[in-house]
Amino acid sequence: MNKEEYLEKYQKVLYRTLKNALNKNQVSHAYLLIGEPGIPLLPIANFLAKSLVCDHPTPFACESCFTCLRFDEGNYADFLLLNGQGKTIKKNEIQALETLFEKTSIEEKGKMIYIIHLVENMTTEAVNSLLKFLEEPGPNVYAFLTTENELKVLPTIISRTQRITLHKIPQATVIENAIAQGIPKKDAELLSYYYNDAEEMQKDLEDENYVVAKQAFDTYIDALLESKEKSVYIMQKELIPLLKSKEATRVFLDLLVVLLEELLAFKEQSTYYLTSYTTIFESLTSLEHIEASLLEIMNIRGQLDLNVNLSLILDHVSITMTKGDA
């Protein structure tokens, strides 16, 4: 993804705001980037951070100079990332950040930058520790905070940052861009429900959990098309042994949710994006209680964090898909 082109084409407010600030050397001390899940918040925050120290800015980062490359490799001494993806950011991490940034800049650019990705995943103690640091930043200290849920971000953080909302690219465009980058059409269509950028989609395409889950998904759909009895047999004999991890099972359930949502849209003659599955949808419209099955599988997915036996979960899925709410 050419991030400058992405910003100029799809995130016009962010593009104009930061371009003017960088050109005039009037960058705010803290920005809050707001976007729905799937929007590449962290890659954009990294790109903006690099733009402050790039050797050849335009005014955005060139992404090829020595400083940009060091930044990407994690070797830029005056930069720190706290990532709340899949974990909670704790008070001691914020205190370590403050301690580091109280020292003199090491790099010759003299700018110290930090990113806190998904600030909604900070503990209350961590937020309280961050507030004073945001309110009284040191000279040449810059922050890029991100969130996928602004409602979970305390007003005290919002008031200390410049808010910029990023918008989703139309789903059809995401699919088109992904296919143009070599991602198989079926994968592009499925992953467009979770990623709003083809580059991020490509990373998931190569993830072991996705590979296993997609294999299980394809095998299960083929069996379901043959008969309900075959799908139950395949689930027990092949898929339960294959889906050994909670993460792969979660992706498998996500794919089933997308399939059922799209099947409902197909039946209602609404817009749907899994065009590669049209023939399959024509065969699956005979399934009973599709909406009830969708709701039940979404509920089952929520139970994964309760340490429920994976085999029992998958058996329940099989029964749900073949019997609906009967």
Side-chain angles (χ1 to χ4, degrees):
M1 175 176 66
N2 183 308
K3 297 181 182 65
E4 184 170 355
E5 288 182 4
Y6 167 82
L7 294 179
E8 185 176 14
K9 187 172 183 179
Y10 300 114
Q11 310 295 345
K12 297 184 185 299
V13 172
L14 176 57
Y15 179 79
R16 290 195 298 267
T17 300
L18 267 297
K19 184 175 183 179
N20 289 336
L22 289 164
N23 277 327
K24 296 177 181 179
N25 196 26
Q26 295 178 349
V27 177
S28 296
H29 76 90
Y31 292 91
L32 177 62
L33 307 182
I34 304 163
E36 297 178 46
I39 293 177
L41 290 173
L42 182 55
I44 294 306
N46 267 296
F47 176 66
L48 297 176
K50 278 188 288 187
S51 297
L52 294 176
V53 294
C54 174
D55 297 332
H56 311 293
T58 62
F60 291 102
C62 71
E63 301 209 86
S64 59
C65 68
F66 183 59
T67 298
C68 284
L69 295 177
R70 288 178 54 221
F71 204 99
D72 287 338
E73 293 168 358
N75 294 326
Y76 194 80
D78 291 336
F79 169 72
L80 184 65
L81 166 65
L82 298 181
N83 194 341
Q85 182 73 51
K87 74 179 192 71
T88 302
I89 299 172
K90 297 182 172 60
K91 180 180 179 180
N92 66 304
E93 295 177 86
I94 299 299
Q95 290 176 327
L97 166 68
E98 294 170 351
T99 299
L100 176 65
F101 279 47
E102 285 172 356
K103 300 175 182 178
T104 304
S105 172
I106 296 174
E107 303 282 351
E108 63 178 17
K109 301 291 175 64
K111 296 176 180 177
M112 306 184 77
I113 311 161
Y114 65 95
I115 292 173
I116 302 181
H117 181 46
L118 303 182
V119 292
E120 64 268 34
N121 292 338
M122 297 173 63
T123 65
T124 302
E125 295 77 14
V127 171
N128 291 334
S129 183
L130 176 66
L131 286 176
K132 185 175 181 181
F133 194 58
L134 276 175
E135 189 172 7
E136 301 175 4
N140 291 318
V141 172
Y142 302 92
F144 294 95
L145 315 182
T146 74
T147 180
E148 292 179 344
N149 191 340
E150 187 182 4
L151 295 177
K152 289 187 176 181
V153 181
L154 290 180
T156 45
I157 286 184
I158 294 174
S159 67
R160 289 166 170 78
T161 60
Q162 182 172 343
R163 297 168 59 257
I164 302 179
T165 299
L166 281 71
H167 301 283
K168 275 197 166 185
I169 302 173
Q171 192 169 354
T173 303
V174 174
I175 294 170
E176 181 182 336
N177 291 344
I179 293 172
Q181 293 190 28
I183 294 176
K185 186 178 180 181
K186 281 189 175 182
D187 293 297
E189 291 175 349
L190 287 167
L191 290 171
S192 70
Y193 277 83
Y194 306 104
Y195 296 96
N196 202 233
D197 171 67
E199 186 173 300
E200 294 300 299
M201 193 183 292
Q202 182 67 50
K203 295 177 184 177
D204 203 60
L205 188 65
E206 298 166 356
D207 181 79
E208 182 180 355
N209 291 317
Y210 177 76
V211 172
V212 170
K214 180 62 166 25
Q215 178 185 345
F217 175 75
D218 288 338
T219 302
Y220 182 70
I221 297 305
D222 287 343
L224 192 61
L225 289 172
E226 186 172 332
S227 70
K228 292 180 179 180
E229 293 75 19
K230 181 65 176 292
S231 70
V232 172
Y233 175 81
I234 289 296
M235 178 66 80
Q236 294 174 344
K237 297 299 181 180
E238 294 187 24
L239 303 191
I240 288 176
L242 180 63
L243 295 167
K244 297 177 181 179
S245 73
K246 182 184 296 185
E247 292 74 19
T249 301
R250 193 189 310 277
V251 177
F252 174 74
L253 296 180
D254 285 342
L255 295 177
L256 282 181
V257 167
V258 169
L259 182 83
L260 290 173
E261 288 177 339
E262 289 283 88
L263 179 57
L264 283 173
F266 175 81
K267 285 190 68 174
E268 296 167 0
Q269 297 185 335
S270 301
T271 300
Y272 68 99
Y273 295 96
L274 295 187
T275 59
S276 299
Y277 289 79
T278 299
T279 302
I280 292 173
F281 289 157
E282 291 170 350
S283 299
L284 291 181
T285 51
S286 60
L287 284 177
E288 299 176 358
H289 312 297
I290 296 173
E291 187 170 353
S293 296
L294 171 61
L295 293 174
E296 182 60 21
I297 289 176
M298 292 174 70
N299 179 58
I300 292 170
R301 185 190 182 284
Q303 296 177 14
L304 281 176
D305 294 326
L306 302 178
N307 294 320
V308 179
N309 184 281
L310 293 182
S311 297
L312 293 178
I313 281 183
L314 292 169
D315 273 333
H316 190 174
V317 168
S318 183
I319 294 170
T320 298
M321 288 292 291
T322 53
K323 294 185 179 181
D325 57 358

